[in-house]
Amino acid sequence: MIGNRLSALLAEGLSAAQAAGEVGAAPAVAFAVERRDDELADYSSAEALRLARIVRAPPRAIAEAILAHLPPSPLVRRAEVAGPGFINVWLDDAWVFDQIQTVNAAGPAFGRSDQGGGARVQVEFVSANPTGPLTAGAGRGGVVGDALARLLEATGHDVTREYYVNDAGHQVEVLGQSVYHHYAAVFDAQAPFPADGYQGAYAAAWGAQIAREDGPRWLGGGAAADAAAFEARAVGIGLAEIRRDLDDLGIEFDVWFSEHDLRARGEVARALATLEANGYVARRDGAVWFVGGAGMEDRENVLVRSRGDPTYFAADIAYHRDKFETRQFERVIDVWGADHHGHVPRMKAAMEALDMDASAAQLEILVTQMVGIRTDGALGRQGKRSGKFVPLREVLDDVGPAATRYFFLSKAIDSQMEFDLELAKRQDPENPVYYIQMAHARCAGIQRTAAAAEASDGTAAASGAGASDSTAAASGAGALTDDDAALARLSLAFPEIVADAAQNREPHRVTHFLLDYARAFHAYYNKHRVVTADAALTARRLELVQAVRHVLANGLRLLGIDAPERM
RNA sequence: GCCCCCGUAGCUCAGCGGACAGAGCGGCGGCCUUCUAAGCCGCGGGCCGCAGGUUCGAAUCCUGCCGGGGGCGCCA
């Protein structure tokens, strides 16, 4: 990556300057190099300014000394000191154009790296209860988790995508009762609707579906004949709907991990036994409590209810132990919704109580902030049990998967976002995602033009007999312009964007880069013609266009958005 | 009361220690006989919530305050 190479180059310059006694000794410096790509510079470093304090010398003098000892490099056309002591670097155009061939040789792999070293990483996301349809908020977690998984794969990680299915516990019981109430009603039988039951219309729909498909065989007294089996039946419908939504969003999981199975295997009991052996358990009021975890001094949490059944917390502890101890993931990334943020500290405390390393190095918990859905101009309150929420399905049907994914991936995860449904629908054709896709389609269009010309005349350029590019013509046949160089330079920045986005767990960086990149290409497209009578120029520009197409396609693939050839 | 996130252009949001603060949408004005006008070019628009502090340098870090959202259950 260019940034790394320039960084190393500057570090060499500094060492040489220090060896020559021109700069004082200092601890090893990793030169931070920033990509600028504006009038000021292509790349820039402010490291001399920071060094000034350490070696007690004027920053400009340090920067000058570094440049004086800079080893020659094919990448660098020019390097100079600017302002208070910035080191500005301009890339060599010839080197940049050479790299375009490297881009095309890599093709779909351009942007990938092995910085992950093959580490086994689990990304657990969505994991919404199968007690109702996915909400728009769950969609955010899904899209972000999926994009993160794609980024990690592209940067050399061995990724497992996992959905933790809460198919056991109190909420599932309540769901079973809620659905059974409606199911029984189909056969004119009475069954109580639970006090905290699921109010959404879907509960009735599921009840009707079971009645239609299974007949009256579940009928019991006030409850289903085989309550556990009936719950499983309802959960099955819920999961099927969830899978369909996720499928339409282009999200696939490697593992659907069942909480029910985890309990059945005795893992929850085993985790509780370990906690107790380690002295983190207290019994009070007939319940079992988690006490004394690091940072949990002022809060105690129930592990086993007085009724005798374990809580979600207890099951999640066992689940995370399974991730690390049984399956040996080197790193686990949980993507949770904002409503779970209170669960973070106790989860980490519990990991430590199990003698596990819950440090950020192993367990990362990313919390996505709320998605406010604005309908009819008002921000609605979301809640699955109240039945008042905007289903992901509705968003998907209204704005489509590409725009939905783009919207969720265009913001940092810790920013609360507002999704105005009406606006989203109306703005459909104006959505930036189509702007990026259009850039890709235009690349394909240029290639079609070139191919058609070649087929009829033997050369791509011949087709452009009448066409020319006035800007390029001014500098002579076959000459590329500064605009070609700028577009090529921007293309070469892509791998770095991907690496940074993966490392920081910030998929939105890719989104923003692509928007910027598409803008650069559209401007270029309007100003310059690729297929012209100038055969040499045409050939070189077709290479550039091919590289642009790879960057756009690869970037969109990371976001899970398709790259159409025509629009 | 305690905890988490956010206050940046009319709206939705980037930028999160460096050089003049950016984009999309919206507004105004131009550009289609040549590779898709789902495009391009130009203009207008900001005490970066407020007040202190740290720093050579703060939208960016720290503290306090104000405002918005969320969480604090023997729910998950």
Side-chain angles (χ1 to χ4, degrees):
Chain A
M1 277 169 249
I2 296 171
N4 294 343
R5 294 181 64 172
L6 293 179
S7 172
L9 212 56
L10 291 173
E12 275 187 60
L14 173 63
S15 299
Q18 286 171 324
E22 294 172 28
V23 176
V29 185
F31 271 82
V33 175
E34 180 195 356
R35 185 176 62 84
R36 295 201 65 97
D37 209 48
D38 56 16
E39 326 76 53
L40 286 165
D42 291 339
Y43 285 82
S44 167
S45 177
E47 220 58 67
L49 291 165
R50 255 155 260 165
L51 227 41
R53 193 176 348 219
I54 301 167
V55 305
R56 304 238 176 97
R60 281 197 66 102
I62 297 170
E64 299 283 6
I66 292 172
L67 287 190
H69 291 87
L70 203 65
S73 163
L75 324 214
V76 181
R77 184 182 89 225
R78 186 157 69 96
E80 66 180 38
V81 178
F86 295 105
I87 295 175
N88 287 341
V89 178
W90 284 265
L91 297 182
D92 183 79
D93 285 353
W95 180 82
V96 168
F97 288 127
D98 275 354
Q99 295 306 299
I100 288 305
Q101 297 182 17
T102 311
V103 174
N104 289 329
F110 179 63
R112 298 180 70 93
S113 68
D114 57 0
Q115 68 176 358
R120 296 187 66 241
V121 181
Q122 182 207 52
V123 182
E124 184 219 318
F125 58 110
V126 188
S127 299
N129 286 358
T131 54
L134 289 179
T135 63
R140 181 180 196 178
V143 169
V144 166
D146 181 65
L148 198 55
R150 288 169 191 255
L151 276 169
L152 290 169
E153 278 171 349
T155 49
H157 298 82
D158 178 7
V159 179
T160 298
R161 298 151 204 248
E162 186 153 320
Y163 189 120
Y164 178 48
V165 185
N166 299 121
D167 53 358
H170 180 65
Q171 289 307 319
V172 170
E173 286 173 29
V174 173
L175 173 76
Q177 291 161 11
S178 305
V179 174
Y180 182 73
H181 165 83
H182 293 107
Y183 167 83
V186 173
F187 302 101
D188 293 320
Q190 297 287 324
F193 189 78
D196 53 351
Y198 287 89
Q199 310 270 350
Y202 64 87
W206 295 5
Q209 181 183 341
I210 296 174
R212 195 168 59 245
E213 295 177 359
D214 297 4
R217 69 182 167 91
W218 297 103
L219 281 179
D226 181 344
F230 187 82
E231 283 164 18
R233 182 75 170 86
V235 163
I237 295 175
L239 272 178
E241 291 196 2
I242 287 171
R243 278 176 190 258
R244 200 162 50 237
D245 287 356
L246 293 172
D247 201 52
D248 288 354
L249 256 186
I251 299 172
E252 286 176 14
F253 286 91
D254 301 304
V255 177
W256 294 76
F257 193 97
S258 163
E259 178 186 355
H260 184 274
D261 292 351
L262 181 78
R263 294 185 184 210
R265 286 202 304 273
E267 291 299 326
V268 177
R270 196 169 71 84
L272 289 171
T274 305
L275 287 177
E276 181 144 34
N278 289 353
Y280 289 95
V281 163
R283 290 166 198 281
R284 184 166 21 91
D285 307 328
V288 178
W289 301 73
F290 175 66
V291 298
M296 289 284 98
E297 293 77 8
D298 56 337
R299 268 223 60 203
E300 299 186 345
N301 294 278
V302 172
L303 292 165
V304 182
R305 281 178 276 258
S306 48
R307 283 193 317 191
D309 56 323
T311 60
Y312 161 85
F313 180 39
D316 215 15
I317 292 171
Y319 175 44
H320 278 78
R321 176 192 233 182
D322 178 87
K323 295 184 183 199
F324 287 112
E325 281 188 9
T326 307
R327 290 188 280 165
Q328 294 283 312
F329 284 112
E330 291 168 64
R331 193 178 278 268
V332 169
I333 300 176
D334 292 344
V335 181
W336 291 353
D339 55 338
H340 277 59
H341 97 261
H343 186 53
V344 175
R346 66 182 191 181
M347 192 65 230
K348 296 209 166 191
M351 288 290 97
E352 279 174 34
L354 286 172
D355 299 321
M356 297 175 53
D357 180 6
S359 67
Q362 275 203 15
L363 176 62
E364 288 178 45
I365 299 177
L366 305 182
V367 176
T368 61
Q369 286 302 314
M370 302 289 296
V371 179
I373 305 288
R374 187 179 293 274
T375 44
D376 304 327
L379 270 178
R381 204 163 278 282
Q382 310 280 306
K384 202 181 279 185
R385 253 178 294 173
S386 65
K388 290 164 79 177
F389 61 90
V390 176
L392 173 60
R393 169 55 53 193
E394 193 179 325
V395 176
L396 225 37
D397 288 345
D398 285 346
V399 310
T404 301
R405 288 191 69 116
Y406 183 87
F407 181 77
F408 285 134
L409 291 173
S410 63
K411 280 102 183 163
I413 66 165
D414 51 8
S415 91
Q416 292 167 202
M417 47 197 280
E418 274 183 31
F419 203 136
D420 190 323
L421 260 189
E422 307 308 317
L423 205 62
K425 274 185 259 183
R426 242 187 305 123
Q427 286 181 346
D428 209 38
E430 303 301 327
N431 195 303
V433 71
Y434 304 115
Y435 180 86
I436 298 171
Q437 290 182 317
M438 184 63 195
H440 182 270
R442 277 184 154 173
C443 288
I446 291 170
Q447 293 176 333
R448 279 192 297 270
T449 301
E454 196 156 359
S456 62
D457 300 78
T459 67
S463 83
S468 67
D469 180 2
S470 54
T471 316
S475 14
L480 292 162
T481 67
D482 286 346
D483 295 325
D484 293 277
L487 187 56
R489 270 198 308 273
L490 199 53
S491 304
L492 299 185
F494 182 63
E496 221 150 333
I497 301 295
V498 174
D500 287 347
Q503 197 148 35
N504 295 296
R505 283 80 167 107
E506 292 183 329
H508 77 275
R509 293 191 187 205
V510 174
T511 314
H512 284 278
F513 172 78
L514 285 183
L515 185 62
D516 203 49
Y517 188 66
R519 180 171 30 249
F521 177 71
H522 282 307
Y524 173 85
Y525 180 93
N526 267 271
K527 190 167 169 190
H528 300 287
R529 192 171 163 90
V530 172
V531 182
T532 65
D534 184 338
L537 181 64
T538 298
R540 299 189 72 183
R541 285 193 164 158
L542 281 174
E543 280 180 19
L544 179 56
V545 167
Q546 178 62 40
V548 170
R549 184 174 170 172
H550 281 309
V551 170
L552 288 167
N554 296 355
L556 285 170
R557 197 182 322 113
L558 284 171
L559 301 182
I561 297 171
D562 60 310
E565 302 209 349
R566 296 172 195 275
M567 291 188 78

